[in-house]
Amino acid sequence: MNRYWIFDGDDSAQRFPLAKLVARIGELVDRESAQIVLTRSQGYGEHVCSWDDQLDRVEALPIPFSALAQVVHQTDELFYNLDAVCTTPEGSIRFGLHDSSALFVDAPDALAERLTAGCAAVRKEPVP
């Protein structure tokens, strides 16, 4: 498995197409029943900070996929670090935003390549 770093920018608060990445993952799951497991949530906004506070007490925080899908579109919510896992019928996807510098996707290559298709600035490296 490889890590795919996405350096494409956009006009969102994150400055990276996180909402687009989450939407692509949403095409692979039932958006209403799927769960995301957060292991890192840092930034600004009610939900982002609430998840960060909860992660101070637990190592992993399951949330509904729909909650993350909604937050990434809000202008008053901003991630600068996000680390999450979503299990799909095609495999597990670890994804997020690293230090406000790039998005990342860890997934089986075929799945990761589908998720990063259309991105102009992608670098692939072995998962650490």
Side-chain angles (χ1 to χ4, degrees):
M1 186 176 334
N2 290 298
R3 172 166 289 171
Y4 290 71
W5 290 103
I6 304 167
F7 297 97
D8 292 27
D10 70 4
D11 293 332
S12 70
Q14 268 85 221
R15 298 184 355 245
F16 294 95
L18 180 59
K20 182 178 176 182
L21 177 59
V22 170
R24 285 190 173 172
I25 294 169
E27 294 170 0
L28 304 172
V29 298
D30 177 351
R31 297 174 61 96
E32 297 306 314
S33 65
Q35 293 279 308
I36 297 284
V37 178
L38 299 178
T39 56
R40 195 168 192 192
S41 172
Q42 296 174 320
Y44 304 97
E46 181 180 350
H47 291 92
V48 174
C49 291
S50 171
W51 295 333
D52 188 23
D53 289 345
Q54 292 175 65
L55 285 166
D56 286 341
R57 296 183 297 278
V58 296
E59 287 187 30
L61 177 66
I63 63 166
F65 179 89
S66 58
L68 181 62
Q70 181 180 12
V71 164
V72 297
H73 288 286
Q74 295 177 356
T75 57
D76 58 345
E77 300 276 352
L78 165 71
F79 289 101
Y80 54 81
N81 279 308
L82 171 66
D83 200 329
V85 175
C86 183
T87 302
T88 76
E90 297 181 44
S92 181
I93 303 166
R94 181 174 171 219
F95 67 96
L97 177 64
H98 177 73
D99 197 25
S100 294
S101 61
L103 296 174
F104 67 89
V105 173
D106 297 350
D109 286 340
L111 184 53
E113 289 171 7
R114 279 181 51 198
L115 294 171
T116 60
C119 296
V122 178
R123 185 179 75 217
K124 180 171 81 169
E125 63 184 37
V127 170

